[in-house]
Amino acid sequence: DIVCSALSSIVQTAVLGILMVVGVNLNLERNEAKGYLCFEMPTDISTEQKHDCNIILNTMLCGISDLREGYSDFIELEVK
């Protein structure tokens, strides 16, 4: 499904950015069969890393929110 693929690309790109560009090792849990991905930021990162992660995460949220506007029947968004 195209919506699932788009959503997956947004989230996975954000995770890759945090892991590979910012250099933060996330606590990551995923279940590809169920389409589930959960990650937590570690608490022992620098102020600069927090800033960079926040930029990536806010960009991810913008992308998901925009996608959800067009496909609200298929996307449930919960921010904690």
Side-chain angles (χ1 to χ4, degrees):
D1 173 70
I2 267 210
V3 177
C4 183
S5 178
L7 179 60
S8 180
S9 293
I10 292 168
V11 174
Q12 289 185 52
T13 299
V15 168
L16 286 172
I18 292 170
L19 291 170
M20 300 177 83
V21 176
V22 182
V24 170
N25 192 17
L26 298 171
N27 300 319
L28 188 61
E29 179 185 343
R30 69 174 90 184
N31 182 327
E32 291 183 26
K34 293 183 179 182
Y36 177 81
L37 174 68
C38 180
F39 59 89
E40 289 183 36
M41 302 293 299
T43 57
D44 61 342
I45 61 176
S46 72
T47 302
E48 183 178 337
Q49 286 175 314
K50 285 179 188 177
H51 174 266
D52 293 347
C53 288
N54 281 331
I55 289 171
I56 291 171
L57 292 173
N58 284 325
T59 302
M60 178 188 77
L61 183 58
C62 288
I64 294 170
S65 295
D66 186 61
L67 189 61
R68 185 181 178 281
E69 280 185 36
Y71 301 97
S72 60
D73 290 346
F74 304 104
I75 298 174
E76 181 180 326
L77 179 61
E78 181 179 339
V79 179
K80 294 182 179 181

